[in-house]
Amino acid sequence: MRYAVRVNGLTGLAVTKLDVLDSFAEIPVCVGYRCDGRHSTRCLPSGASRRVEPLYEALPGWQKSLSHVRRLADLPPQARAYLDRLQDLAHAPIQYVSVGSHRDQIIEVT
């Protein structure tokens, strides 16, 4: 995600389908890679796909439906922590979060 932000000049992120994670007790987030014994958090090492091991950080899940949420402040603390961590890793702010497939289930982050 950080690479996509950098090469595409993204100024904000849209996190879609956050509700798909509603039932998870833990959510693994890739925070870097290990290739040939070296750790990298900058980007996936090119040309080394078979020797690369993703490094994960486990974040707590929220285990409740988000389909009714219409404001960022109403998200469970674990969901907010997940979004905050994505922002930190991507080096870009989140501008939209969807918690379902309907138009009124898109939260605009201000």
Side-chain angles (χ1 to χ4, degrees):
M1 188 169 41
R2 185 180 302 139
Y3 179 76
V5 168
R6 189 173 69 235
V7 300
N8 293 298
L10 301 179
T11 58
L13 303 172
V15 176
T16 61
K17 301 187 177 195
L18 186 64
D19 56 305
V20 172
L21 303 174
D22 285 355
S23 63
F24 289 82
E26 283 190 341
I27 302 167
V29 176
C30 183
V31 295
Y33 302 95
R34 181 176 294 126
C35 182
D36 296 331
R38 287 189 283 164
H39 178 253
S40 171
T41 57
R42 300 211 45 168
C43 62
L44 179 66
S46 63
S49 61
R50 293 179 189 240
R51 301 183 323 267
V52 173
E53 174 191 357
L55 303 173
Y56 294 101
E57 177 180 303
L59 299 176
W62 41 93
Q63 296 185 291
K64 62 173 84 170
S65 175
L66 299 181
S67 62
H68 66 284
V69 175
R70 297 297 180 270
R71 296 179 325 139
L72 198 65
D74 296 333
L75 286 172
Q78 300 91 331
R80 289 293 308 267
Y82 173 76
L83 294 173
D84 290 344
R85 186 65 176 130
L86 293 182
Q87 285 185 127
D88 291 344
L89 291 167
H91 298 294
I94 292 175
Q95 292 181 327
Y96 300 97
V97 177
S98 78
V99 293
S101 60
H102 301 287
R103 284 184 183 217
D104 69 336
Q105 291 178 303
I106 298 172
I107 300 167
E108 185 172 0
V109 180
T110 55

